[in-house]
Amino acid sequence: MKQRGKPQKKEKIPKAFTGLLRCGECGMMITAEIQKGHIYYRCTKKNKAVKCTQPYIREEELDRQLSKMIQKVSLPQDWAEELLKMAEKDEKEAAQSCAAFVQETREKIREINIKLQRLLDAYLEQDIDREEYRQRKVKLMSEKKTLGEKIINLEQKRQCWLEPFRNWINSALQAGKIARDNDLFAKKITAKEIFGSNLILAAREARGRTQNQWAALCAAHQMIGKKPLSHILVPPVGVEPTRDCSHTILSRTCLPVSPRRHVIILTILLTLILRLFYPLLF
């Protein structure tokens, strides 16, 4: 009697994929509920303007679909190793270019300091009046400050891209393992990173649009065996782009000699991804 008088606490069963997807029909969030011992996901149907008719989907089926989507954008081990080698090579080349630019800029600053000293001497010798001295000094000091800021910005940007890129490589490598494992919450985190808020559920089918560097990786996977080399190779100008471009733009060139396919794919992938990590410096 004493036990019956107290409210019974129900055991909470975690629902991993709540808050991850939106309904493809009405745009509301997907929630979950337990029916007959199984977890089902469905639309919350809170949009009063749309009478949503989307059906339920079992967690096991949704897990299978999300795992397949994550697996498609996972990074193979050999690709990762090759990308890191190419990134380190580009980092060294960028460091050399940066050092040359810094040296040249410091030489210009040294010349400005000499001009400032000569200007001061001319003013003290009364060869120029106070107003002319002030105007010419302001101009030289402004040039000196601009050059100093360029050096600082260049050195800071040169150091800020490689570590995030390496972290992304590790995440992309782990994506395949996460897709094969049974940790649903890890899959939710990975799917959120890959697709952002672009995941929808419609007609018991999960769909999503990859974003940023994941879109470049997905495009690289799709290129294999589907396009001729002359249609997918980007010009060999290094990581730094010479024009505005996005991950959806690929240049067409003619090759006198066709290099190996996987090297081309990796070169394209590295170029597209690093354009997202590495801001323009020059």
Side-chain angles (χ1 to χ4, degrees), residues 22-31 42-54:
R22 289 185 177 274
C23 177
E25 182 176 349
C26 66
M28 294 292 101
M29 295 302 298
I30 297 297
T31 187
R42 62 169 179 83
C43 176
T44 55
K45 301 183 179 181
K46 291 183 177 181
N47 191 341
K48 302 301 182 182
V50 178
K51 187 177 180 180
C52 187
T53 59
Q54 291 299 309

Side-chain angles (χ1 to χ4, degrees), residues 27-122:
M28 294 292 101
M29 295 302 298
I30 297 297
T31 187
E33 62 181 53
I34 300 175
Q35 295 289 345
K36 299 179 180 179
H38 296 282
I39 299 177
Y40 289 85
Y41 291 86
R42 62 169 179 83
C43 176
T44 55
K45 301 183 179 181
K46 291 183 177 181
N47 191 341
K48 302 301 182 182
V50 178
K51 187 177 180 180
C52 187
T53 59
Q54 291 299 309
Y56 290 70
I57 182 174
R58 276 183 58 165
E59 185 174 71
E60 293 82 358
E61 175 60 19
L62 183 58
D63 175 27
R64 185 190 66 79
Q65 293 184 20
L66 291 174
S67 298
K68 186 177 180 180
M69 294 169 65
I70 294 172
Q71 186 68 45
K72 285 183 178 180
V73 293
S74 63
L75 187 65
Q77 181 68 37
D78 55 339
W79 283 32
E81 294 173 357
E82 195 69 26
L83 282 171
L84 288 174
K85 290 179 183 178
M86 296 165 72
E88 290 172 1
K89 179 182 177 182
D90 278 300
E91 182 197 19
K92 292 178 181 178
E93 293 175 354
Q96 293 174 356
S97 299
C98 177
F101 176 81
V102 169
Q103 183 178 355
E104 180 182 354
T105 305
R106 285 176 177 167
E107 182 62 26
K108 291 180 181 179
I109 292 175
R110 189 182 70 83
E111 293 175 358
I112 291 176
N113 288 333
I114 295 174
K115 291 180 180 179
L116 285 169
Q117 184 60 46
R118 289 175 179 173
L119 183 64
L120 177 60
D121 293 340

Side-chain angles (χ1 to χ4, degrees), residues 9-280:
K9 293 184 179 180
K10 295 183 179 180
E11 183 181 358
K12 292 185 178 181
I13 299 177
K15 305 172 183 65
F17 299 135
T18 53
L20 178 63
L21 304 98
R22 289 185 177 274
C23 177
E25 182 176 349
C26 66
M28 294 292 101
M29 295 302 298
I30 297 297
T31 187
E33 62 181 53
I34 300 175
Q35 295 289 345
K36 299 179 180 179
H38 296 282
I39 299 177
Y40 289 85
Y41 291 86
R42 62 169 179 83
C43 176
T44 55
K45 301 183 179 181
K46 291 183 177 181
N47 191 341
K48 302 301 182 182
V50 178
K51 187 177 180 180
C52 187
T53 59
Q54 291 299 309
Y56 290 70
I57 182 174
R58 276 183 58 165
E59 185 174 71
E60 293 82 358
E61 175 60 19
L62 183 58
D63 175 27
R64 185 190 66 79
Q65 293 184 20
L66 291 174
S67 298
K68 186 177 180 180
M69 294 169 65
I70 294 172
Q71 186 68 45
K72 285 183 178 180
V73 293
S74 63
L75 187 65
Q77 181 68 37
D78 55 339
W79 283 32
E81 294 173 357
E82 195 69 26
L83 282 171
L84 288 174
K85 290 179 183 178
M86 296 165 72
E88 290 172 1
K89 179 182 177 182
D90 278 300
E91 182 197 19
K92 292 178 181 178
E93 293 175 354
Q96 293 174 356
S97 299
C98 177
F101 176 81
V102 169
Q103 183 178 355
E104 180 182 354
T105 305
R106 285 176 177 167
E107 182 62 26
K108 291 180 181 179
I109 292 175
R110 189 182 70 83
E111 293 175 358
I112 291 176
N113 288 333
I114 295 174
K115 291 180 180 179
L116 285 169
Q117 184 60 46
R118 289 175 179 173
L119 183 64
L120 177 60
D121 293 340
Y123 173 68
L124 294 176
E125 293 293 334
Q126 298 183 349
D127 293 335
I128 57 175
D129 58 25
R130 180 183 182 86
E131 183 62 24
E132 183 180 358
Y133 167 74
R134 188 187 64 81
Q135 292 178 358
R136 292 168 63 180
K137 180 181 178 182
V138 168
K139 182 179 179 180
L140 290 172
M141 291 299 294
S142 177
E143 293 178 3
K144 180 180 177 181
K145 181 180 179 182
T146 300
L147 293 173
E149 289 175 348
K150 284 184 178 181
I151 292 176
I152 294 174
N153 292 335
L154 184 63
E155 291 178 340
Q156 288 178 346
K157 289 181 178 180
R158 186 175 64 85
Q159 300 293 334
C160 71
W161 69 275
L162 188 59
E163 192 61 31
F165 177 70
R166 284 173 174 159
N167 292 337
W168 177 79
I169 289 290
N170 291 330
S171 297
L173 270 174
Q174 289 296 317
K177 181 178 181 297
I178 291 173
R180 294 187 297 269
D181 288 347
N182 297 322
D183 189 342
L184 302 187
F185 288 96
K187 289 181 185 179
K188 177 181 179 179
I189 294 172
T190 303
K192 192 74 173 178
E193 181 181 357
I194 295 172
F195 302 99
S197 59
N198 300 322
L199 279 170
I200 63 171
L201 183 65
R204 293 194 179 98
E205 181 182 355
R207 297 194 297 269
R209 186 177 67 255
T210 52
Q211 56 182 2
N212 301 331
Q213 59 271 19
W214 298 98
L217 178 55
C218 183
H221 277 292
Q222 294 173 356
M223 288 178 193
I224 300 176
K226 292 186 178 181
K227 288 187 177 182
L229 300 181
S230 59
H231 286 192
I232 62 176
L233 182 65
V234 293
V237 293
V239 173
E240 289 298 322
T242 57
R243 63 188 181 281
D244 181 36
C245 74
S246 68
H247 66 269
T248 60
I249 299 176
L250 295 174
S251 300
R252 295 188 177 189
T253 60
C254 296
L255 291 176
V257 179
S258 296
R260 291 180 301 172
R261 185 181 301 273
H262 78 279
V263 174
I264 293 176
I265 298 296
L266 289 175
T267 303
I268 296 171
L269 179 59
L270 178 68
T271 304
L272 297 179
I273 291 175
L274 290 190
R275 279 171 179 163
L276 300 170
F277 283 102
Y278 197 132
L280 292 177

